[in-house]
Amino acid sequence: MMAVREEIAAGFEAVFPGTTQLRVYVLGLGQQESRSLPRPRGAATPYLGPRQIQRPVDDPRICPAVMPGQQTLFPVRRRLEREHARRISGRLWPEENAVRALAEERAAAQGLTATWPHMVMRIIRCALAIRDAEGEALVAPEMLDQVRLPLKRQRPNSWTEQDS
């Protein structure tokens, strides 16, 4: 694999004359047959270079903030979904750390899974974006109704159920 990467870095085209899959022999299991790829050979070239880290993005077109205290002439009904939550994942709010700590505290107290605070924080982040777009100081219940992200039911951890 290192030789292939060096050839690609040097500008040579990596040509594989034979099969590129390795067969693994584990004592007791016998040889496994290789499976055919779901795409024709050569349809997509593998990227063997270093992976780039994807940083969170902040799309200013999603709920742009207005001056605090500014009243809106017409109420805007929004519908923020999973794609919108992903596009504002890089946006920061001053109260976000405190809210995250409260969500984690609630999850620990209720015996919920570790993913529950993450799901709740996606909803809260969308509600905070709507609050900033409305120019309000607080998040109203109507703002939470405009967020359409799935929130699974609260399920206790398996160790909590066993201890009860």
Side-chain angles (χ1 to χ4, degrees), residues 111-113 115-116 119-120 150-156 161:
L112 304 173
T113 61
T115 58
W116 189 83
M119 290 187 300
V120 169
L151 180 62
K152 296 180 182 176
R153 66 179 182 87
Q154 298 179 1
R155 186 173 65 218
E161 291 178 38

Side-chain angles (χ1 to χ4, degrees), residues 11-28:
F12 296 112
E13 182 178 344
V15 178
F16 302 105
T19 60
T20 58
Q21 294 181 350
L22 298 176
R23 290 186 179 216
V24 177
Y25 178 75
V26 178
L27 189 63

Side-chain angles (χ1 to χ4, degrees), residues 45-132:
T45 56
Y47 178 73
L48 300 175
R51 301 276 182 210
Q52 292 189 5
I53 299 172
Q54 290 184 339
R55 290 185 170 68
V57 295
D58 180 16
D59 191 351
R61 296 173 293 179
I62 306 296
C63 295
V66 297
M67 296 286 289
Q70 183 179 5
Q71 293 184 347
T72 56
L73 185 58
F74 301 107
V76 178
R77 291 290 297 168
R78 296 172 178 84
R79 182 180 172 138
L80 296 185
E81 296 180 358
R82 184 174 295 181
E83 176 64 22
H84 299 104
R86 187 189 63 76
R87 290 170 59 185
I88 62 168
S89 63
R91 201 172 292 183
L92 300 174
W93 288 274
E95 56 273 314
E96 186 174 356
N97 291 333
V99 173
R100 179 176 284 117
L102 287 172
E104 290 171 356
E105 180 182 315
R106 168 102 187 245
Q110 298 287 324
L112 304 173
T113 61
T115 58
W116 189 83
H118 298 293
M119 290 187 300
V120 169
M121 282 307 298
R122 285 191 314 169
I123 294 172
I124 291 173
R125 290 173 56 78
C126 288
L128 289 172
I130 293 172
R131 178 202 66 180
D132 290 347

